[in-house]
Amino acid sequence: MKRMRLDRLLSNSGIGSRKEVKILIKRGEVQVNGTTIKKFNYPVSPSSDIVEVRGQRIDYKEFYYIMLNKPAGVITSTHDRFHKTVMDILDDNFKALDLFPVGRLDKDTEGLLILTNDGNLTHKLLSPKKFVSKKYFAIIDGSVTKDDVELFKKGVPLSEDFTTLPAQLDIVKPNEVYITIYEGKFHQIKRMFEYINKQVLYLKRVQMGNLKLDDDLSPGDARELTQYEIELLRSSIQ
Ligand code: URA
């Protein structure tokens, strides 16, 4: 692993913002290989140097992968002057990382949202060429029929020049379904149901590729993915 600035390593490890970690360094609270370092740009090797803050060893990771059960009422954005964002509701230790959301969920949509600083994986997961599936649970105003299942299987025309890829509808109850899509167009699921004159009353993403939302995460809760879950995400890319 390449050398990096001490302040960057600390902020990337979730210790605090760049400004906060500079204060720690200035106060003499940071040691590298047992020596107190007061230079912000002191070069450190994340793989071989031992970095400590007040005697506590920093476990540096280049990439972080967070699973958030997004609640309704927050927008999928990193900053917004007027609305609460998914970043605002994260714990402070996650906030300090340079994370961004993998794709978007509408303000009123709940469920699985991945946040990461791994731009390469994000790019692949969102690429229309990779056909990563997205599975949602939806409550519909009206009954979903077998004809709807057949229509969705063929693809739904959302505009004159765009028809969705085939989507899978699984009826749980007449007005409750699971729907799996392979793109991420703006309001896609709501617009697919609008096409059959039905309205989506509730929408929750339950799976992205091979990765399922952890049922134990309450809306608003977030945790790091396990190594196994990161592999599940990676294996979703075709
Ligand atoms: N489709 C929608 O209509 N909204 C979402 O949030 C996600 C998919």
Side-chain angles (χ1 to χ4, degrees), residues 2-228:
K2 273 192 344 209
R3 282 174 178 262
M4 65 195 297
R5 292 171 58 117
L6 181 59
D7 56 356
R8 185 169 170 75
L9 179 139
L10 291 172
S11 63
N12 286 6
S13 303
I15 301 302
S17 64
R18 271 293 181 100
K19 206 168 149 193
E20 287 163 347
V21 302
K22 279 181 174 165
I23 295 172
L24 287 176
I25 297 171
K26 214 170 170 181
R27 281 200 200 132
E29 296 189 24
V30 179
Q31 289 81 37
V32 179
N33 301 322
T35 305
T36 298
I37 301 294
K38 292 196 171 183
K39 259 170 82 180
F40 306 143
N41 66 353
Y42 186 82
V44 279
S45 161
S47 53
S48 56
D49 287 329
I50 296 173
V51 180
E52 292 165 305
V53 176
R54 294 185 210 109
Q56 194 98 10
R57 185 161 178 184
I58 303 305
D59 174 23
Y60 178 76
K61 278 187 273 187
E62 189 174 12
F63 297 124
Y64 287 85
Y65 306 88
I66 311 294
M67 171 190 289
L68 168 70
N69 184 356
K70 178 191 170 297
V74 297
I75 62 168
T76 311
S77 194
T78 44
H79 301 282
D80 194 276
R81 280 173 60 200
F82 304 107
H83 302 98
K84 204 185 243 191
T85 72
V86 289
M87 283 301 168
D88 294 331
I89 63 166
L90 290 183
D91 283 351
D92 285 348
N93 56 332
F94 290 147
K95 266 187 203 154
L97 305 170
D98 205 8
L99 302 174
F100 39 89
V102 180
R104 278 173 187 276
L105 293 176
D106 295 339
K107 189 175 178 189
D108 58 354
T109 301
E110 295 182 6
L112 177 62
L113 187 70
I114 304 298
L115 297 128
T116 181
N117 57 344
D118 183 344
N120 196 21
L121 183 65
T122 302
H123 183 72
K124 287 184 182 150
L125 288 169
L126 297 178
S127 165
K129 292 184 200 138
K130 302 288 181 190
F131 305 106
V132 175
S133 63
K134 268 87 62 177
K135 185 173 180 182
Y136 295 80
F137 170 73
I139 301 179
I140 308 299
D141 182 17
S143 292
V144 180
T145 66
K146 285 194 178 139
D147 286 348
D148 298 336
V149 175
E150 290 309 310
L151 175 72
F152 276 41
K153 216 185 260 178
K154 289 191 191 121
V156 180
L158 293 186
S159 65
E160 247 170 51
D161 52 10
F162 178 73
T163 297
T164 69
L165 287 171
Q168 190 185 331
L169 257 185
D170 296 302
I171 301 176
V172 184
K173 290 183 190 170
N175 68 333
E176 290 184 11
V177 295
Y178 283 101
I179 170 167
T180 307
I181 59 173
Y182 297 86
E183 306 127 300
K185 298 283 176 207
F186 185 62
H187 295 331
Q188 179 161 338
I189 292 175
K190 292 172 187 160
R191 286 162 65 205
M192 290 169 84
F193 280 97
E194 260 166 36
Y195 182 79
I196 53 169
N197 295 316
K198 286 164 196 170
Q199 201 195 337
V200 175
L201 300 178
Y202 172 82
L203 192 59
K204 176 180 180 177
R205 182 152 66 194
V206 294
Q207 191 167 340
M208 185 164 190
N210 300 323
L211 178 70
K212 289 189 176 141
L213 175 67
D214 179 347
D215 288 338
D216 290 338
L217 276 187
S218 304
D221 283 352
R223 66 159 173 80
E224 275 192 65
L225 294 189
T226 62
Q227 197 54 43
Y228 177 68

